[in-house]
Amino acid sequence: MLKAMKGQLDAMLSFRSRVLVVRLDLHVSEYTGDNRKVSRMLSKLKRWLLEQYQMSKVGHVWVREQERAKKQHYHLALMLDGRLVRHPSKVIKWVEQYWEFRNDPKPYTPRSCYTMVTRRDEESYNKAFYRLSYLAKDRGKGYKDVTANNYSVSRLKRRSVDLPAAA
Protein backbone atom coordinates (compact mmCIF):
# COMPACT_ATOMS: atom_id res chain seq x y z
CA MET A 1 0.00 0.00 0.00
CA LEU A 2 2.81 2.43 0.87
CA LYS A 3 4.56 1.63 -2.40
CA ALA A 4 1.37 2.39 -4.35
CA MET A 5 0.87 5.69 -2.49
CA LYS A 6 4.47 6.71 -3.11
CA GLY A 7 4.12 5.77 -6.76
CA GLN A 8 1.13 8.07 -7.21
CA LEU A 9 2.77 10.98 -5.38
CA ASP A 10 5.90 10.52 -7.52
CA ALA A 11 3.77 10.31 -10.67
CA MET A 12 1.97 13.56 -9.83
CA LEU A 13 5.30 15.27 -9.16
CA SER A 14 6.59 14.07 -12.52
CA PHE A 15 3.75 16.00 -14.21
CA ARG A 16 3.41 18.99 -11.89
CA SER A 17 6.15 20.86 -10.03
CA ARG A 18 3.76 21.57 -7.13
CA VAL A 19 1.23 19.08 -5.79
CA LEU A 20 -1.38 19.85 -3.15
CA VAL A 21 -2.05 16.74 -1.05
CA VAL A 22 -5.42 16.94 0.75
CA ARG A 23 -6.78 14.47 3.29
CA LEU A 24 -10.43 13.85 4.27
CA ASP A 25 -12.40 11.18 6.11
CA LEU A 26 -15.66 9.94 4.60
CA HIS A 27 -18.26 8.18 6.76
CA VAL A 28 -21.27 6.35 5.39
CA SER A 29 -24.77 6.20 6.82
CA GLU A 30 -25.03 2.43 6.44
CA TYR A 31 -22.72 -0.50 5.79
CA THR A 32 -22.05 -1.50 2.20
CA GLY A 33 -20.03 -4.51 1.15
CA ASP A 34 -18.55 -2.69 -1.82
CA ASN A 35 -16.86 0.67 -2.38
CA ARG A 36 -19.12 2.08 -5.09
CA LYS A 37 -19.96 5.22 -3.13
CA VAL A 38 -16.39 6.43 -2.88
CA SER A 39 -15.54 5.33 -6.44
CA ARG A 40 -18.54 7.18 -7.88
CA MET A 41 -17.72 10.30 -5.85
CA LEU A 42 -14.12 10.31 -7.12
CA SER A 43 -15.27 9.95 -10.70
CA LYS A 44 -17.61 12.94 -10.36
CA LEU A 45 -14.99 14.96 -8.46
CA LYS A 46 -12.43 14.43 -11.20
CA ARG A 47 -14.97 15.56 -13.81
CA TRP A 48 -15.68 18.68 -11.70
CA LEU A 49 -11.93 19.40 -11.34
CA LEU A 50 -11.53 19.14 -15.11
CA GLU A 51 -14.42 21.56 -15.70
CA GLN A 52 -13.54 23.96 -12.88
CA TYR A 53 -9.73 24.03 -13.16
CA GLN A 54 -8.96 22.25 -16.46
CA MET A 55 -7.10 19.73 -14.28
CA SER A 56 -6.50 16.56 -16.27
CA LYS A 57 -4.20 14.80 -13.81
CA VAL A 58 -5.54 13.98 -10.34
CA GLY A 59 -3.98 11.45 -8.00
CA HIS A 60 -5.89 9.78 -5.20
CA VAL A 61 -5.70 7.08 -2.60
CA TRP A 62 -8.47 5.83 -0.37
CA VAL A 63 -8.54 3.15 2.28
CA ARG A 64 -11.56 1.41 3.74
CA GLU A 65 -11.67 0.83 7.48
CA GLN A 66 -14.13 -0.62 9.94
CA GLU A 67 -13.22 -1.23 13.53
CA ARG A 68 -15.85 -1.23 16.27
CA ALA A 69 -18.53 0.60 14.27
CA LYS A 70 -21.14 -1.31 12.30
CA LYS A 71 -20.32 0.57 9.11
CA GLN A 72 -17.14 1.38 7.28
CA HIS A 73 -15.46 4.72 6.76
CA TYR A 74 -12.86 5.87 4.26
CA HIS A 75 -9.66 7.86 4.54
CA LEU A 76 -9.13 9.78 1.32
CA ALA A 77 -6.10 11.65 0.02
CA LEU A 78 -6.22 13.73 -3.14
CA MET A 79 -3.16 14.86 -5.09
CA LEU A 80 -3.97 18.01 -7.05
CA ASP A 81 -2.07 20.38 -9.33
CA GLY A 82 -0.67 22.91 -6.84
CA ARG A 83 -0.46 25.67 -9.46
CA LEU A 84 -4.21 25.48 -10.04
CA VAL A 85 -5.37 24.75 -6.47
CA ARG A 86 -3.34 26.51 -3.78
CA HIS A 87 -5.83 25.96 -0.97
CA PRO A 88 -8.29 23.06 -0.74
CA SER A 89 -11.37 24.91 0.57
CA LYS A 90 -13.39 24.77 -2.70
CA VAL A 91 -12.52 21.11 -3.23
CA ILE A 92 -13.42 20.20 0.35
CA LYS A 93 -16.71 22.10 0.03
CA TRP A 94 -17.54 20.17 -3.16
CA VAL A 95 -16.83 16.82 -1.46
CA GLU A 96 -18.90 17.80 1.58
CA GLN A 97 -21.87 18.87 -0.54
CA TYR A 98 -21.69 15.76 -2.72
CA TRP A 99 -21.40 13.41 0.25
CA GLU A 100 -24.15 15.04 2.32
CA PHE A 101 -26.48 15.24 -0.70
CA ARG A 102 -26.35 11.45 -0.76
CA ASN A 103 -27.52 11.33 2.88
CA ASP A 104 -24.16 10.45 4.36
CA PRO A 105 -22.57 12.28 7.30
CA LYS A 106 -20.54 15.39 6.59
CA PRO A 107 -16.94 14.39 5.80
CA TYR A 108 -14.42 15.04 8.54
CA THR A 109 -11.55 17.36 7.65
CA PRO A 110 -8.51 16.72 9.87
CA ARG A 111 -6.50 19.58 11.30
CA SER A 112 -3.70 20.47 8.87
CA CYS A 113 -5.49 18.54 6.15
CA TYR A 114 -3.21 19.62 3.33
CA THR A 115 0.44 19.90 2.36
CA MET A 116 1.92 21.63 -0.67
CA VAL A 117 4.67 19.43 -2.05
CA THR A 118 7.25 21.00 -4.33
CA ARG A 119 9.30 18.86 -6.69
CA ARG A 120 12.83 18.30 -5.32
CA ASP A 121 11.83 19.65 -1.88
CA GLU A 122 12.57 16.68 0.34
CA GLU A 123 11.05 18.27 3.45
CA SER A 124 7.61 18.89 1.92
CA TYR A 125 7.71 15.46 0.24
CA ASN A 126 8.50 13.69 3.52
CA LYS A 127 5.81 15.64 5.37
CA ALA A 128 3.15 14.65 2.83
CA PHE A 129 4.31 11.04 2.67
CA TYR A 130 4.28 10.76 6.47
CA ARG A 131 0.64 11.95 6.47
CA LEU A 132 -0.19 9.45 3.72
CA SER A 133 1.47 6.61 5.62
CA TYR A 134 -1.26 6.77 8.28
CA LEU A 135 -3.66 5.37 5.71
CA ALA A 136 -1.59 2.18 5.47
CA LYS A 137 -2.08 1.16 9.11
CA ASP A 138 -3.28 -2.42 9.46
CA ARG A 139 -5.98 -1.84 12.08
CA GLY A 140 -9.53 -1.80 10.74
CA LYS A 141 -8.84 -3.41 7.38
CA GLY A 142 -10.55 -6.52 6.05
CA TYR A 143 -14.19 -5.94 7.06
CA LYS A 144 -15.83 -6.08 3.64
CA ASP A 145 -17.29 -8.38 1.05
CA VAL A 146 -14.83 -10.77 -0.59
CA THR A 147 -14.88 -8.89 -3.89
CA ALA A 148 -14.30 -5.42 -2.38
CA ASN A 149 -10.86 -3.85 -1.91
CA ASN A 150 -9.36 -2.44 1.28
CA TYR A 151 -7.80 0.41 -0.70
CA SER A 152 -7.42 1.92 -4.13
CA VAL A 153 -5.06 4.36 -5.78
CA SER A 154 -5.23 6.29 -9.02
CA ARG A 155 -3.34 4.82 -11.96
CA LEU A 156 -1.10 7.67 -13.02
CA LYS A 157 2.08 6.66 -14.84
CA ARG A 158 5.23 8.54 -13.91
CA ARG A 159 7.13 10.64 -16.46
CA SER A 160 10.90 10.57 -16.18
CA VAL A 161 12.11 13.58 -14.18
CA ASP A 162 14.38 13.87 -11.15
CA LEU A 163 12.44 13.43 -7.90
CA PRO A 164 13.51 13.56 -4.26
CA ALA A 165 14.98 10.48 -2.67
CA ALA A 166 12.62 7.87 -1.21
CA ALA A 167 10.81 8.88 1.95
Side-chain angles (χ1 to χ4, degrees), residues 20-61:
L20 183 69
V21 179
V22 182
R23 206 172 89 50
L24 296 164
D25 294 343
L26 306 170
H27 295 267
V28 294
S29 54
E30 58 187 43
Y31 175 83
T32 60
D34 59 34
N35 301 309
R36 269 185 241 166
K37 278 188 170 195
V38 72
S39 295
R40 194 172 299 130
M41 185 275 298
L42 280 168
S43 176
K44 291 187 184 288
L45 173 62
K46 288 178 181 184
R47 197 171 317 135
W48 179 79
L49 289 166
L50 182 61
E51 292 169 3
Q52 194 74 23
Y53 296 99
Q54 290 69 52
M55 190 181 308
S56 58
K57 302 272 187 233
V58 176
H60 77 265
V61 58

Side-chain angles (χ1 to χ4, degrees), residues 24-108:
L24 296 164
D25 294 343
L26 306 170
H27 295 267
V28 294
S29 54
E30 58 187 43
Y31 175 83
T32 60
D34 59 34
N35 301 309
R36 269 185 241 166
K37 278 188 170 195
V38 72
S39 295
R40 194 172 299 130
M41 185 275 298
L42 280 168
S43 176
K44 291 187 184 288
L45 173 62
K46 288 178 181 184
R47 197 171 317 135
W48 179 79
L49 289 166
L50 182 61
E51 292 169 3
Q52 194 74 23
Y53 296 99
Q54 290 69 52
M55 190 181 308
S56 58
K57 302 272 187 233
V58 176
H60 77 265
V61 58
W62 59 257
V63 298
R64 175 190 176 110
E65 290 184 359
Q66 183 177 352
E67 294 178 40
R68 292 181 293 271
K70 293 181 178 169
K71 51 197 176 223
Q72 77 272 17
H73 66 274
Y74 298 92
H75 297 289
L76 170 67
L78 300 169
M79 298 167 221
L80 310 171
D81 184 337
R83 292 174 306 127
L84 300 175
V85 181
R86 295 172 189 234
H87 190 274
S89 58
K90 283 175 78 173
V91 176
I92 291 169
K93 185 176 181 178
W94 187 95
V95 173
E96 288 174 348
Q97 288 176 340
Y98 178 90
W99 207 249
E100 288 182 280
F101 182 74
R102 273 130 191 97
N103 298 318
D104 286 308
K106 181 178 180 180
Y108 171 72

Side-chain angles (χ1 to χ4, degrees), residues 9-20 80-84 116-121 124-125 159 161-164:
L9 183 56
D10 290 350
M12 275 300 292
L13 284 166
S14 75
F15 289 102
R16 305 294 179 245
S17 60
R18 293 170 40 144
V19 174
L20 183 69
L80 310 171
D81 184 337
R83 292 174 306 127
L84 300 175
M116 184 67 77
V117 181
T118 306
R119 188 185 297 155
R120 296 183 188 87
D121 177 2
S124 66
Y125 184 94
R159 284 186 342 176
V161 295
D162 293 329
L163 296 174

